[in-house]
PDB file of all heavy atoms in Angstrom:
ATOM      1  N   ARG A 763      78.286  22.912 128.470  1.00  0.00           N
ATOM      2  CA  ARG A 763      77.629  21.731 127.916  1.00  0.00           C
ATOM      3  C   ARG A 763      77.662  20.527 128.866  1.00  0.00           C
ATOM      4  O   ARG A 763      77.096  19.503 128.566  1.00  0.00           O
ATOM      5  CB  ARG A 763      78.285  21.345 126.574  1.00  0.00           C
ATOM      6  CG  ARG A 763      79.690  20.854 126.675  1.00  0.00           C
ATOM      7  CD  ARG A 763      80.288  20.607 125.296  1.00  0.00           C
ATOM      8  NE  ARG A 763      81.650  20.111 125.345  1.00  0.00           N
ATOM      9  CZ  ARG A 763      81.956  18.810 125.428  1.00  0.00           C
ATOM     10  NH1 ARG A 763      80.994  17.911 125.470  1.00  0.00           N
ATOM     11  NH2 ARG A 763      83.225  18.438 125.454  1.00  0.00           N
ATOM     12  N   TYR A 764      78.413  20.622 129.988  1.00  0.00           N
ATOM     13  CA  TYR A 764      78.468  19.500 130.949  1.00  0.00           C
ATOM     14  C   TYR A 764      77.439  19.726 132.048  1.00  0.00           C
ATOM     15  O   TYR A 764      77.335  20.853 132.572  1.00  0.00           O
ATOM     16  CB  TYR A 764      79.863  19.378 131.545  1.00  0.00           C
ATOM     17  CG  TYR A 764      80.914  19.007 130.523  1.00  0.00           C
ATOM     18  CD1 TYR A 764      81.754  19.977 129.994  1.00  0.00           C
ATOM     19  CD2 TYR A 764      81.041  17.679 130.102  1.00  0.00           C
ATOM     20  CE1 TYR A 764      82.704  19.656 129.054  1.00  0.00           C
ATOM     21  CE2 TYR A 764      81.996  17.356 129.155  1.00  0.00           C
ATOM     22  CZ  TYR A 764      82.830  18.333 128.637  1.00  0.00           C
ATOM     23  OH  TYR A 764      83.777  17.998 127.713  1.00  0.00           O
ATOM     24  N   GLU A 780      90.317  20.618 130.461  1.00  0.00           N
ATOM     25  CA  GLU A 780      90.404  20.244 129.054  1.00  0.00           C
ATOM     26  C   GLU A 780      91.267  21.271 128.315  1.00  0.00           C
ATOM     27  O   GLU A 780      91.061  22.480 128.421  1.00  0.00           O
ATOM     28  CB  GLU A 780      89.016  20.230 128.415  1.00  0.00           C
ATOM     29  CG  GLU A 780      89.030  19.811 126.966  1.00  0.00           C
ATOM     30  CD  GLU A 780      87.614  19.687 126.434  1.00  0.00           C
ATOM     31  OE1 GLU A 780      86.691  19.765 127.251  1.00  0.00           O
ATOM     32  OE2 GLU A 780      87.465  19.521 125.217  1.00  0.00           O
ATOM     33  N   GLY A 795      91.797  12.845 122.701  1.00  0.00           N
ATOM     34  CA  GLY A 795      90.993  11.799 122.082  1.00  0.00           C
ATOM     35  C   GLY A 795      89.777  12.370 121.419  1.00  0.00           C
ATOM     36  O   GLY A 795      89.433  13.527 121.601  1.00  0.00           O
ATOM     37  N   THR A 796      89.107  11.568 120.677  1.00  0.00           N
ATOM     38  CA  THR A 796      87.943  12.031 119.940  1.00  0.00           C
ATOM     39  C   THR A 796      86.738  12.132 120.838  1.00  0.00           C
ATOM     40  O   THR A 796      85.822  12.883 120.560  1.00  0.00           O
ATOM     41  CB  THR A 796      87.643  11.077 118.782  1.00  0.00           C
ATOM     42  OG1 THR A 796      87.441   9.782 119.293  1.00  0.00           O
ATOM     43  CG2 THR A 796      88.799  11.064 117.799  1.00  0.00           C
ATOM     44  N   VAL A 797      86.709  11.359 121.914  1.00  0.00           N
ATOM     45  CA  VAL A 797      85.553  11.362 122.793  1.00  0.00           C
ATOM     46  C   VAL A 797      85.797  12.353 123.890  1.00  0.00           C
ATOM     47  O   VAL A 797      86.885  12.397 124.486  1.00  0.00           O
ATOM     48  CB  VAL A 797      85.289   9.972 123.378  1.00  0.00           C
ATOM     49  CG1 VAL A 797      84.048   9.981 124.241  1.00  0.00           C
ATOM     50  CG2 VAL A 797      85.157   8.986 122.227  1.00  0.00           C
ATOM     51  N   GLY A 798      84.785  13.180 124.148  1.00  0.00           N
ATOM     52  CA  GLY A 798      84.962  14.233 125.152  1.00  0.00           C
ATOM     53  C   GLY A 798      85.151  13.649 126.533  1.00  0.00           C
ATOM     54  O   GLY A 798      85.826  14.237 127.376  1.00  0.00           O
ATOM     55  N   ASN A 801      88.862  13.099 127.736  1.00  0.00           N
ATOM     56  CA  ASN A 801      89.795  14.224 127.906  1.00  0.00           C
ATOM     57  C   ASN A 801      89.923  14.552 129.383  1.00  0.00           C
ATOM     58  O   ASN A 801      89.418  15.557 129.878  1.00  0.00           O
ATOM     59  CB  ASN A 801      89.297  15.461 127.157  1.00  0.00           C
ATOM     60  CG  ASN A 801      89.313  15.190 125.661  1.00  0.00           C
ATOM     61  OD1 ASN A 801      90.011  14.295 125.227  1.00  0.00           O
ATOM     62  ND2 ASN A 801      88.533  15.977 124.922  1.00  0.00           N
ATOM     63  N   ILE A 822      94.612  13.343 117.371  1.00  0.00           N
ATOM     64  CA  ILE A 822      94.053  14.349 116.456  1.00  0.00           C
ATOM     65  C   ILE A 822      95.105  15.361 116.072  1.00  0.00           C
ATOM     66  O   ILE A 822      95.215  15.772 114.913  1.00  0.00           O
ATOM     67  CB  ILE A 822      92.854  15.023 117.112  1.00  0.00           C
ATOM     68  CG1 ILE A 822      91.779  13.991 117.433  1.00  0.00           C
ATOM     69  CG2 ILE A 822      92.305  16.130 116.238  1.00  0.00           C
ATOM     70  CD1 ILE A 822      90.593  14.563 118.177  1.00  0.00           C
ATOM     71  N   PRO A 829      90.705  18.749 111.333  1.00  0.00           N
ATOM     72  CA  PRO A 829      90.325  20.070 111.865  1.00  0.00           C
ATOM     73  C   PRO A 829      89.862  19.950 113.296  1.00  0.00           C
ATOM     74  O   PRO A 829      89.217  18.985 113.681  1.00  0.00           O
ATOM     75  CB  PRO A 829      89.201  20.518 110.943  1.00  0.00           C
ATOM     76  CG  PRO A 829      88.588  19.253 110.477  1.00  0.00           C
ATOM     77  CD  PRO A 829      89.687  18.232 110.390  1.00  0.00           C
ATOM     78  N   LEU A 830      90.231  20.983 114.052  1.00  0.00           N
ATOM     79  CA  LEU A 830      89.769  21.084 115.424  1.00  0.00           C
ATOM     80  C   LEU A 830      88.692  22.135 115.471  1.00  0.00           C
ATOM     81  O   LEU A 830      88.973  23.321 115.354  1.00  0.00           O
ATOM     82  CB  LEU A 830      90.933  21.458 116.356  1.00  0.00           C
ATOM     83  CG  LEU A 830      91.995  20.358 116.538  1.00  0.00           C
ATOM     84  CD1 LEU A 830      93.119  20.892 117.393  1.00  0.00           C
ATOM     85  CD2 LEU A 830      91.414  19.121 117.159  1.00  0.00           C
ATOM     86  N   GLU A 831      87.479  21.696 115.640  1.00  0.00           N
ATOM     87  CA  GLU A 831      86.367  22.618 115.664  1.00  0.00           C
ATOM     88  C   GLU A 831      85.803  22.691 117.079  1.00  0.00           C
ATOM     89  O   GLU A 831      85.711  21.695 117.768  1.00  0.00           O
ATOM     90  CB  GLU A 831      85.266  22.172 114.709  1.00  0.00           C
ATOM     91  CG  GLU A 831      85.705  22.147 113.265  1.00  0.00           C
ATOM     92  CD  GLU A 831      84.582  21.728 112.366  1.00  0.00           C
ATOM     93  OE1 GLU A 831      83.490  21.456 112.893  1.00  0.00           O
ATOM     94  OE2 GLU A 831      84.793  21.681 111.141  1.00  0.00           O
ATOM     95  N   GLN A 832      85.459  23.883 117.460  1.00  0.00           N
ATOM     96  CA  GLN A 832      84.900  24.111 118.786  1.00  0.00           C
ATOM     97  C   GLN A 832      83.442  23.684 118.781  1.00  0.00           C
ATOM     98  O   GLN A 832      82.682  24.093 117.929  1.00  0.00           O
ATOM     99  CB  GLN A 832      85.003  25.591 119.164  1.00  0.00           C
ATOM    100  CG  GLN A 832      84.517  25.862 120.564  1.00  0.00           C
ATOM    101  CD  GLN A 832      84.730  27.316 120.938  1.00  0.00           C
ATOM    102  OE1 GLN A 832      85.316  28.023 120.158  1.00  0.00           O
ATOM    103  NE2 GLN A 832      84.248  27.713 122.093  1.00  0.00           N
ATOM    104  N   LYS A 833      83.104  22.806 119.774  1.00  0.00           N
ATOM    105  CA  LYS A 833      81.731  22.323 119.843  1.00  0.00           C
ATOM    106  C   LYS A 833      80.839  23.389 120.421  1.00  0.00           C
ATOM    107  O   LYS A 833      81.265  24.199 121.230  1.00  0.00           O
ATOM    108  CB  LYS A 833      81.660  21.063 120.725  1.00  0.00           C
ATOM    109  CG  LYS A 833      82.381  19.888 120.114  1.00  0.00           C
ATOM    110  CD  LYS A 833      82.241  18.654 120.970  1.00  0.00           C
ATOM    111  CE  LYS A 833      82.945  17.447 120.362  1.00  0.00           C
ATOM    112  NZ  LYS A 833      82.798  16.224 121.163  1.00  0.00           N
ATOM    113  N   PRO A 834      79.587  23.388 120.031  1.00  0.00           N
ATOM    114  CA  PRO A 834      78.667  24.399 120.558  1.00  0.00           C
ATOM    115  C   PRO A 834      78.424  24.177 122.033  1.00  0.00           C
ATOM    116  O   PRO A 834      78.204  23.044 122.473  1.00  0.00           O
ATOM    117  CB  PRO A 834      77.402  24.200 119.732  1.00  0.00           C
ATOM    118  CG  PRO A 834      77.476  22.803 119.265  1.00  0.00           C
ATOM    119  CD  PRO A 834      78.917  22.489 119.061  1.00  0.00           C
ATOM    120  N   PRO A 835      78.483  25.235 122.812  1.00  0.00           N
ATOM    121  CA  PRO A 835      78.250  25.086 124.259  1.00  0.00           C
ATOM    122  C   PRO A 835      76.773  24.867 124.549  1.00  0.00           C
ATOM    123  O   PRO A 835      75.908  25.229 123.780  1.00  0.00           O
ATOM    124  CB  PRO A 835      78.762  26.403 124.829  1.00  0.00           C
ATOM    125  CG  PRO A 835      78.557  27.381 123.731  1.00  0.00           C
ATOM    126  CD  PRO A 835      78.789  26.629 122.469  1.00  0.00           C
ATOM    127  N   ALA A 943      76.016  30.005 122.324  1.00  0.00           N
ATOM    128  CA  ALA A 943      75.321  28.858 121.729  1.00  0.00           C
ATOM    129  C   ALA A 943      74.784  29.193 120.358  1.00  0.00           C
ATOM    130  O   ALA A 943      74.836  28.386 119.437  1.00  0.00           O
ATOM    131  CB  ALA A 943      74.181  28.407 122.653  1.00  0.00           C
ATOM    132  N   ALA A 946      78.007  29.480 117.939  1.00  0.00           N
ATOM    133  CA  ALA A 946      78.835  28.285 117.732  1.00  0.00           C
ATOM    134  C   ALA A 946      78.049  27.081 117.281  1.00  0.00           C
ATOM    135  O   ALA A 946      78.619  26.052 116.962  1.00  0.00           O
ATOM    136  CB  ALA A 946      79.576  27.933 119.038  1.00  0.00           C
ATOM    137  N   LEU A 947      76.730  27.167 117.230  1.00  0.00           N
ATOM    138  CA  LEU A 947      75.923  26.012 116.838  1.00  0.00           C
ATOM    139  C   LEU A 947      76.105  25.725 115.363  1.00  0.00           C
ATOM    140  O   LEU A 947      75.870  26.592 114.528  1.00  0.00           O
ATOM    141  CB  LEU A 947      74.448  26.314 117.137  1.00  0.00           C
ATOM    142  CG  LEU A 947      73.562  25.078 117.326  1.00  0.00           C
ATOM    143  CD1 LEU A 947      74.067  24.260 118.517  1.00  0.00           C
ATOM    144  CD2 LEU A 947      72.115  25.500 117.571  1.00  0.00           C
ATOM    145  N   PRO A 948      76.573  24.534 114.968  1.00  0.00           N
ATOM    146  CA  PRO A 948      76.818  24.215 113.552  1.00  0.00           C
ATOM    147  C   PRO A 948      75.524  23.883 112.859  1.00  0.00           C
ATOM    148  O   PRO A 948      74.491  23.711 113.486  1.00  0.00           O
ATOM    149  CB  PRO A 948      77.765  23.015 113.643  1.00  0.00           C
ATOM    150  CG  PRO A 948      77.406  22.337 114.912  1.00  0.00           C
ATOM    151  CD  PRO A 948      76.997  23.410 115.871  1.00  0.00           C
ATOM    152  N   PRO A 949      75.579  23.759 111.542  1.00  0.00           N
ATOM    153  CA  PRO A 949      74.391  23.335 110.786  1.00  0.00           C
ATOM    154  C   PRO A 949      73.975  21.941 111.182  1.00  0.00           C
ATOM    155  O   PRO A 949      74.760  21.159 111.744  1.00  0.00           O
ATOM    156  CB  PRO A 949      74.843  23.400 109.331  1.00  0.00           C
ATOM    157  CG  PRO A 949      76.013  24.337 109.346  1.00  0.00           C
ATOM    158  CD  PRO A 949      76.661  24.150 110.663  1.00  0.00           C
ATOM    159  N   PRO A 950      72.719  21.551 110.874  1.00  0.00           N
ATOM    160  CA  PRO A 950      72.211  20.220 111.291  1.00  0.00           C
ATOM    161  C   PRO A 950      73.020  19.097 110.725  1.00  0.00           C
ATOM    162  O   PRO A 950      73.231  18.086 111.398  1.00  0.00           O
ATOM    163  CB  PRO A 950      70.774  20.209 110.750  1.00  0.00           C
ATOM    164  CG  PRO A 950      70.409  21.661 110.640  1.00  0.00           C
ATOM    165  CD  PRO A 950      71.645  22.383 110.303  1.00  0.00           C
ATOM    166  N   GLN A 951      73.512  19.198 109.493  1.00  0.00           N
ATOM    167  CA  GLN A 951      74.265  18.093 108.903  1.00  0.00           C
ATOM    168  C   GLN A 951      75.617  17.895 109.548  1.00  0.00           C
ATOM    169  O   GLN A 951      76.278  16.886 109.336  1.00  0.00           O
ATOM    170  CB  GLN A 951      74.415  18.312 107.392  1.00  0.00           C
ATOM    171  CG  GLN A 951      75.198  19.565 107.028  1.00  0.00           C
ATOM    172  CD  GLN A 951      74.275  20.742 106.873  1.00  0.00           C
ATOM    173  OE1 GLN A 951      73.135  20.697 107.388  1.00  0.00           O
ATOM    174  NE2 GLN A 951      74.727  21.775 106.203  1.00  0.00           N
ATOM    175  N   GLN A 952      76.072  18.887 110.325  1.00  0.00           N
ATOM    176  CA  GLN A 952      77.389  18.759 110.950  1.00  0.00           C
ATOM    177  C   GLN A 952      77.303  18.539 112.449  1.00  0.00           C
ATOM    178  O   GLN A 952      78.322  18.396 113.108  1.00  0.00           O
ATOM    179  CB  GLN A 952      78.209  20.031 110.675  1.00  0.00           C
ATOM    180  CG  GLN A 952      78.500  20.248 109.197  1.00  0.00           C
ATOM    181  CD  GLN A 952      79.329  21.500 108.968  1.00  0.00           C
ATOM    182  OE1 GLN A 952      79.692  22.151 109.934  1.00  0.00           O
ATOM    183  NE2 GLN A 952      79.597  21.770 107.728  1.00  0.00           N
ATOM    184  N   GLN A 953      76.095  18.513 113.019  1.00  0.00           N
ATOM    185  CA  GLN A 953      75.993  18.388 114.478  1.00  0.00           C
ATOM    186  C   GLN A 953      76.464  17.020 114.950  1.00  0.00           C
ATOM    187  O   GLN A 953      77.105  16.892 115.980  1.00  0.00           O
ATOM    188  CB  GLN A 953      74.537  18.603 114.918  1.00  0.00           C
ATOM    189  CG  GLN A 953      74.096  20.062 114.821  1.00  0.00           C
ATOM    190  CD  GLN A 953      72.689  20.249 115.338  1.00  0.00           C
ATOM    191  OE1 GLN A 953      72.052  19.273 115.778  1.00  0.00           O
ATOM    192  NE2 GLN A 953      72.227  21.486 115.314  1.00  0.00           N
ATOM    193  N   GLN A 954      76.175  15.985 114.197  1.00  0.00           N
ATOM    194  CA  GLN A 954      76.572  14.645 114.611  1.00  0.00           C
ATOM    195  C   GLN A 954      78.065  14.503 114.653  1.00  0.00           C
ATOM    196  O   GLN A 954      78.619  13.856 115.523  1.00  0.00           O
ATOM    197  CB  GLN A 954      75.941  13.625 113.658  1.00  0.00           C
ATOM    198  CG  GLN A 954      76.158  12.187 114.105  1.00  0.00           C
ATOM    199  CD  GLN A 954      75.406  11.218 113.193  1.00  0.00           C
ATOM    200  OE1 GLN A 954      74.792  11.653 112.234  1.00  0.00           O
ATOM    201  NE2 GLN A 954      75.443   9.948 113.534  1.00  0.00           N
ATOM    202  N   GLN A 955      78.730  15.137 113.686  1.00  0.00           N
ATOM    203  CA  GLN A 955      80.198  15.055 113.659  1.00  0.00           C
ATOM    204  C   GLN A 955      80.795  15.897 114.766  1.00  0.00           C
ATOM    205  O   GLN A 955      81.815  15.561 115.348  1.00  0.00           O
ATOM    206  CB  GLN A 955      80.706  15.534 112.289  1.00  0.00           C
ATOM    207  CG  GLN A 955      82.218  15.463 112.166  1.00  0.00           C
ATOM    208  CD  GLN A 955      82.684  15.970 110.795  1.00  0.00           C
ATOM    209  OE1 GLN A 955      81.834  16.284 109.979  1.00  0.00           O
ATOM    210  NE2 GLN A 955      83.987  16.001 110.609  1.00  0.00           N
ATOM    211  N   VAL A 956      80.177  16.985 115.068  1.00  0.00           N
ATOM    212  CA  VAL A 956      80.732  17.895 116.065  1.00  0.00           C
ATOM    213  C   VAL A 956      80.623  17.326 117.456  1.00  0.00           C
ATOM    214  O   VAL A 956      81.408  17.648 118.332  1.00  0.00           O
ATOM    215  CB  VAL A 956      80.031  19.264 115.958  1.00  0.00           C
ATOM    216  CG1 VAL A 956      80.434  20.186 117.091  1.00  0.00           C
ATOM    217  CG2 VAL A 956      80.347  19.892 114.621  1.00  0.00           C
ATOM    218  N   GLN A 957      79.642  16.438 117.720  1.00  0.00           N
ATOM    219  CA  GLN A 957      79.439  15.925 119.072  1.00  0.00           C
ATOM    220  C   GLN A 957      80.650  15.200 119.573  1.00  0.00           C
ATOM    221  O   GLN A 957      80.921  15.158 120.766  1.00  0.00           O
ATOM    222  CB  GLN A 957      78.223  14.978 119.083  1.00  0.00           C
ATOM    223  CG  GLN A 957      76.908  15.679 118.803  1.00  0.00           C
ATOM    224  CD  GLN A 957      76.559  16.677 119.870  1.00  0.00           C
ATOM    225  OE1 GLN A 957      76.958  16.513 121.023  1.00  0.00           O
ATOM    226  NE2 GLN A 957      75.851  17.725 119.516  1.00  0.00           N
ATOM    227  N   SER A 958      81.427  14.625 118.667  1.00  0.00           N
ATOM    228  CA  SER A 958      82.592  13.851 119.087  1.00  0.00           C
ATOM    229  C   SER A 958      83.830  14.688 119.248  1.00  0.00           C
ATOM    230  O   SER A 958      84.867  14.170 119.620  1.00  0.00           O
ATOM    231  CB  SER A 958      82.864  12.715 118.094  1.00  0.00           C
ATOM    232  OG  SER A 958      83.164  13.289 116.831  1.00  0.00           O
ATOM    233  N   GLU A 959      83.787  15.999 118.945  1.00  0.00           N
ATOM    234  CA  GLU A 959      84.976  16.843 119.014  1.00  0.00           C
ATOM    235  C   GLU A 959      85.016  17.531 120.359  1.00  0.00           C
ATOM    236  O   GLU A 959      84.006  17.989 120.883  1.00  0.00           O
ATOM    237  CB  GLU A 959      84.962  17.897 117.907  1.00  0.00           C
ATOM    238  CG  GLU A 959      84.971  17.313 116.514  1.00  0.00           C
ATOM    239  CD  GLU A 959      86.283  16.614 116.230  1.00  0.00           C
ATOM    240  OE1 GLU A 959      87.301  17.046 116.813  1.00  0.00           O
ATOM    241  OE2 GLU A 959      86.298  15.661 115.452  1.00  0.00           O
ATOM    242  N   PRO A 960      86.195  17.705 120.906  1.00  0.00           N
ATOM    243  CA  PRO A 960      86.318  18.436 122.187  1.00  0.00           C
ATOM    244  C   PRO A 960      86.076  19.903 121.947  1.00  0.00           C
ATOM    245  O   PRO A 960      86.392  20.443 120.911  1.00  0.00           O
ATOM    246  CB  PRO A 960      87.759  18.169 122.615  1.00  0.00           C
ATOM    247  CG  PRO A 960      88.473  17.898 121.353  1.00  0.00           C
ATOM    248  CD  PRO A 960      87.506  17.206 120.459  1.00  0.00           C
ATOM    249  N   PRO A 961      85.501  20.609 122.893  1.00  0.00           N
ATOM    250  CA  PRO A 961      85.213  22.052 122.709  1.00  0.00           C
ATOM    251  C   PRO A 961      86.484  22.850 122.774  1.00  0.00           C
ATOM    252  O   PRO A 961      87.455  22.461 123.428  1.00  0.00           O
ATOM    253  CB  PRO A 961      84.288  22.371 123.884  1.00  0.00           C
ATOM    254  CG  PRO A 961      84.662  21.397 124.944  1.00  0.00           C
ATOM    255  CD  PRO A 961      85.045  20.133 124.235  1.00  0.00           C
ATOM    256  N   LYS A 962      86.426  23.972 122.091  1.00  0.00           N
ATOM    257  CA  LYS A 962      87.536  24.941 122.106  1.00  0.00           C
ATOM    258  C   LYS A 962      87.148  26.102 123.000  1.00  0.00           C
ATOM    259  O   LYS A 962      86.017  26.551 123.001  1.00  0.00           O
ATOM    260  CB  LYS A 962      87.842  25.485 120.710  1.00  0.00           C
ATOM    261  CG  LYS A 962      88.379  24.433 119.770  1.00  0.00           C
ATOM    262  CD  LYS A 962      88.713  25.048 118.436  1.00  0.00           C
ATOM    263  CE  LYS A 962      89.239  24.015 117.473  1.00  0.00           C
ATOM    264  NZ  LYS A 962      89.568  24.603 116.156  1.00  0.00           N
TER     265      LYS A 962
END
Side-chain angles (χ1 to χ4, degrees):
R763 67 185 181 88
Y764 295 101
E780 182 174 351
T796 58
V797 182
N801 294 340
I822 300 176
L830 291 176
E831 297 181 359
Q832 184 176 355
K833 293 183 179 181
L947 203 61
Q951 62 269 20
Q952 296 181 2
Q953 287 183 1
Q954 187 175 3
Q955 181 181 356
V956 172
Q957 294 296 332
S958 62
E959 298 293 331
K962 294 182 181 180

